[in-house]
Amino acid sequence: MQEFLTTVILLLSSTLRLSVPLVLCGLAGLFSERSGVWDIGLEGKMLFAAFAAAAAAYQFDSAWVGLVFAILVAVLLSLIHGFASVTHQGNQIISGVAINFISSGLTVLLAVGWFALGGRTPQLQPEARFPTVILPFAEEMRPVPVLGAIYADLISGYNILVYIAFAAVPVTWWVFHHTRFGLRLRAVGENPAAVDTAGISVDWLRYRALLCGAILCGIAGAYLSIAQSAGFVREMSAGKGYMALAALIFAKWRPVPVLFACLLFGFLEALSIRFQAFDFGLGPALSTQIVQSLPYVLTVVLLAGFMGRAIPPKAGGIPYTKER
């Protein structure tokens, strides 16, 4: 029984850790897409933020400085996206894809030029990473059957960015449903003309939504490189931005379902990691590849077969032209 409980707690703990960048990026996409701006560039912003965080943390020997640089880089990319798609009414999909391509190439180019380590940053020292947070009375409660193990090993023992990510979900829900900004944001994604008629700037609302998403993307990137890992490696986002977009669609653009969708995808990834050594009778190399591909395959299956009809914001992807 104790061994089974330990296995379950380890699996769930891994699920929470792996879900963090998905949750943050999913909420980032929620802000921008509920305002009517498709943000395919989540992957690129998270990747560039991860590089900025690792480079700054290495240079200044501080995880908090790395986090600030990650957010600044994500904000800059979001402003570029807004300038192209909101101010100049360009194609939002093309703008987002361009950000992904630029981030993929430029992070490696800068890493090679600055550190000459084949596209990665140097290994970070412990003081340049976010430390583990031990909640009060975690060790004292550990001997308590079941509840002690859950509190000490499943609830306690993560870095601060994990707690920020999951706290961001109720905060986002509250912003969308109980603040003037959130109500206007939902309105501008459905009927920007009505918002404009009320004397509210549609462009300014969409820029603010992009900035909110940029902050969350910056935190997600910093988590990848200076919390979950000890440095940046090329393409370390590994498609998590796209998976977050899939989770956002799966959740039908609602904050709490976004959390559960991301936890589901994180659980699938945790399962794939735990069962990497499982042999399907096809040889160890091929079996490992099959297991590693399961989260992505199951993501497609879930979206295709179990999601039902997802209705996006009516003004999503449509540039708004102010009537004269």
Side-chain angles (χ1 to χ4, degrees):
M1 179 63 183
Q2 183 62 36
E3 184 178 349
F4 174 75
L5 178 63
T6 301
T7 301
V8 170
I9 289 177
L10 288 174
L11 184 61
L12 294 178
S13 176
S14 179
T15 297
L16 295 180
R17 288 186 171 90
L18 293 170
S19 299
V20 168
L22 299 177
V23 171
L24 290 167
C25 273
L27 295 177
L30 181 69
F31 272 99
S32 59
E33 299 199 1
R34 286 302 294 264
S35 74
V37 181
W38 294 150
D39 200 354
I40 305 298
L42 294 174
E43 174 81 5
K45 284 186 279 189
M46 178 169 55
L47 180 63
F48 219 133
F51 170 74
Y58 173 76
Q59 188 67 34
F60 295 97
D61 209 28
S62 169
W64 290 105
V65 173
L67 176 62
V68 170
F69 271 83
I71 293 174
L72 289 176
V73 166
V75 165
L76 177 60
L77 292 174
S78 286
L79 289 176
I80 293 173
H81 182 48
F83 183 73
S85 60
V86 177
T87 302
H88 289 282
Q89 301 177 2
N91 187 294
Q92 298 170 7
I93 303 298
I94 293 176
S95 175
V97 171
I99 287 174
N100 290 337
F101 279 125
I102 291 170
S103 299
S104 178
L106 199 54
T107 50
V108 176
L109 183 66
L110 291 176
V112 170
W114 291 351
F115 304 110
L117 292 173
R120 61 181 179 86
T121 60
Q123 188 86 359
L124 296 178
Q125 298 300 316
E127 55 270 17
R129 301 178 60 201
F130 284 103
T132 299
V133 177
I134 304 298
L135 297 180
F137 308 111
E139 293 304 319
E140 288 81 357
M141 287 191 63
R142 189 181 295 276
V144 177
V146 184
L147 292 179
I150 291 175
Y151 181 72
D153 297 325
L154 184 58
I155 299 176
S156 178
Y158 305 97
N159 62 74
I160 192 170
L161 297 187
V162 176
Y163 297 107
I164 289 175
F166 288 101
V169 177
V171 171
T172 300
W173 178 88
W174 181 79
V175 167
F176 270 94
H177 292 89
H178 295 283
T179 67
R180 181 182 299 176
F181 168 67
L183 295 174
R184 288 176 174 177
L185 199 65
R186 292 158 58 195
V188 80
E190 297 293 336
N191 193 342
V195 174
D196 189 24
T197 303
I200 302 168
S201 172
V202 172
D203 288 359
W204 175 229
L205 265 176
R206 288 180 170 177
Y207 266 105
R208 288 161 68 187
L210 285 171
L211 291 177
C212 291
I215 293 171
L216 293 168
C217 274
I219 298 173
Y223 175 80
L224 287 178
S225 60
I226 62 176
Q228 188 179 51
S229 304
F232 174 84
V233 295
R234 59 193 305 167
E235 304 294 347
M236 73 180 307
S237 53
K240 288 182 172 58
Y242 300 116
M243 291 183 70
L245 281 174
L248 180 60
I249 299 170
F250 186 65
K252 301 180 181 178
W253 292 272
R254 293 173 296 171
V256 176
V258 164
L259 169 64
F260 290 114
C262 292
L263 286 173
L264 173 61
F265 294 162
F267 178 72
L268 296 175
E269 188 173 356
L271 274 180
S272 72
I273 293 173
R274 185 154 188 84
F275 294 109
Q276 276 186 5
F278 189 82
D279 193 349
F280 291 95
L282 303 172
L286 189 56
S287 296
T288 299
Q289 292 174 357
I290 291 174
V291 172
Q292 289 176 339
S293 68
L294 284 179
Y296 305 96
V297 173
L298 291 176
T299 298
V300 175
V301 171
L302 288 171
L303 285 175
F306 299 96
M307 184 180 67
R309 187 181 181 189
I311 302 175
K314 292 179 181 178
I318 303 173
Y320 177 69
T321 303
K322 185 178 178 67
E323 295 181 1
R324 301 294 180 184

